[in-house]
Amino acid sequence: MDVPYDLSSYVRVLKMATTPTTNEFLQVSKIAGAGILLVGLMGFLIGAIMLVLTGGGV
């Protein structure tokens, strides 16, 4: 493991990185939010199906 080389590559990446524009940020936020909602919906549906199959809704 070559620590000086690793640090220089990290610094190079940080120098190339830029702050996202408002449009880029909004697009990433929408996609991440949609993914979170999709995972939540899948969990809800699986829970509802399990509840119906086991008869726990009575």
Side-chain angles (χ1 to χ4, degrees), residues 6-47:
D6 291 340
L7 290 178
S8 67
S9 63
Y10 297 150
V11 170
R12 185 178 57 215
V13 168
L14 288 176
K15 284 182 180 179
M16 288 178 21
T18 60
T19 304
T21 64
T22 303
N23 288 336
E24 289 172 336
F25 179 77
L26 289 176
Q27 184 178 13
V28 169
S29 298
K30 288 176 187 176
I31 293 170
I36 290 170
L37 288 175
L38 181 64
V39 170
L41 179 64
M42 287 173 49
F44 177 78
L45 290 176
I46 290 171

